Amino acid sequence: MRILLVEDDAMIGAAVRQGLAHKGYAVDWVQDASEAELALRVEPYELVLLDLGLPDRSGLEVLANLRRGGSEVAVVVLTARDSVADRIAGLDTGADDYLVKPFDLEELCARIRAVQRRKKGRAEPLLVHGGLMLNPASHECSWQGAPVFLSTKEFTLLQALMERPGAVLSRAQLEERLYGWGHELESNAVDVHIYNLRKKLGIELIKTLRGVGYLLGNPT
Ligand code: CA
């Protein structure tokens, strides 16, 4: 999942970016409101982690502008200001959830997963497609009841396909899920991960529509 992290505190920003990258999220990090608005105009993020106390303007203003512009991107507000008024203002301005600093990375990840489920209209935390089961919380995968060991990037790609069964995802869309800014992108990275997934899960599971992209085959 592609995430925009808006945080001016260098230590928190670096720690969150590294922690989320380790979990397989593609994270772009900006440090003020203007950079955040620029990034949101040009990149298709699925989620924004938004600090409220930013050096140039309040994160609340960024959030208000986003919602005024019709954006439905998921927003989790991060704030050191733990006053009830701030949390209420964040939620009422259109945030999907909030976390008060300091927070635990595991809790942040759990909230990201919960917000994503709600956005996709799903209450069930497990992703199931025929004999294939994916648990985004524990990063476990099983196929026909047997555990399958996937790399972080393989898991991320498979999750992207399972979240939208029947939809064709282009190579560019899948690359978006794997890489944030500043990552050297090998031109065939997605193909290599798909090849490895097919080796582990059977050739039939992931279909290629030549020149268009990839989709999950019918469940078996
Ligand atoms: Ca701040």
Side-chain angles (χ1 to χ4, degrees), residues 59-137:
L60 276 180
E61 208 180 307
V62 175
L63 178 56
N65 287 338
L66 255 184
R67 295 306 187 219
R68 243 195 314 274
S71 168
E72 294 184 357
V73 66
V75 176
V76 176
V77 161
L78 306 177
T79 178
R81 292 178 290 175
D82 57 353
S83 83
V84 175
D86 273 333
R87 286 179 240 165
I88 293 172
L91 293 170
D92 279 345
T93 305
D96 297 278
D97 201 353
Y98 66 86
L99 262 180
V100 176
K101 295 182 216 169
F103 52 80
D104 184 272
L105 186 71
E106 294 300 328
E107 182 180 0
L108 173 61
C109 290
R111 284 175 188 262
I112 289 172
R113 291 191 295 269
V115 164
Q116 284 305 104
R117 284 199 302 275
R118 288 203 296 274
K119 283 279 171 193
K120 294 179 199 303
R122 213 154 47 77
E124 167 60 59
L126 298 181
L127 291 162
V128 179
H129 183 82
L132 182 64
M133 192 277 291
L134 217 57
N135 183 338

Side-chain angles (χ1 to χ4, degrees), residues 42-212:
V42 296
E43 303 282 357
Y45 295 104
E46 286 183 68
L47 187 131
V48 183
L49 299 173
L50 181 62
D51 180 30
L52 291 190
L54 295 170
D56 49 347
R57 272 176 293 134
S58 164
L60 276 180
E61 208 180 307
V62 175
L63 178 56
N65 287 338
L66 255 184
R67 295 306 187 219
R68 243 195 314 274
S71 168
E72 294 184 357
V73 66
V75 176
V76 176
V77 161
L78 306 177
T79 178
R81 292 178 290 175
D82 57 353
S83 83
V84 175
D86 273 333
R87 286 179 240 165
I88 293 172
L91 293 170
D92 279 345
T93 305
D96 297 278
D97 201 353
Y98 66 86
L99 262 180
V100 176
K101 295 182 216 169
F103 52 80
D104 184 272
L105 186 71
E106 294 300 328
E107 182 180 0
L108 173 61
C109 290
R111 284 175 188 262
I112 289 172
R113 291 191 295 269
V115 164
Q116 284 305 104
R117 284 199 302 275
R118 288 203 296 274
K119 283 279 171 193
K120 294 179 199 303
R122 213 154 47 77
E124 167 60 59
L126 298 181
L127 291 162
V128 179
H129 183 82
L132 182 64
M133 192 277 291
L134 217 57
N135 183 338
S138 63
H139 265 233
E140 286 169 318
C141 171
S142 68
W143 171 238
Q144 315 286 25
V148 179
F149 299 98
L150 302 179
S151 73
T152 305
K153 293 218 181 313
E154 288 163 8
F155 194 96
T156 301
L157 281 187
L158 191 56
Q159 184 175 349
L161 291 165
M162 289 184 75
E163 282 171 353
R164 298 183 59 197
V168 180
L169 296 183
S170 68
R171 180 184 287 130
Q173 284 173 313
L174 291 173
E175 283 170 353
E176 290 280 345
R177 294 283 295 240
L178 293 179
Y179 300 98
W181 295 336
H183 284 86
E184 279 300 319
L185 185 61
E186 290 176 34
S187 61
N188 65 343
V190 167
D191 303 304
V192 170
H193 294 307
I194 296 280
Y195 173 80
N196 289 330
L197 281 169
R198 283 179 174 146
K199 270 207 308 199
K200 293 178 182 182
L201 299 167
I203 197 86
E204 291 298 313
L205 188 74
I206 301 170
K207 308 279 185 199
T208 304
L209 284 189
R210 224 161 270 292
V212 185

Side-chain angles (χ1 to χ4, degrees), residues 7-8 51 53:
E7 171 59 75
D8 62 311
D51 180 30

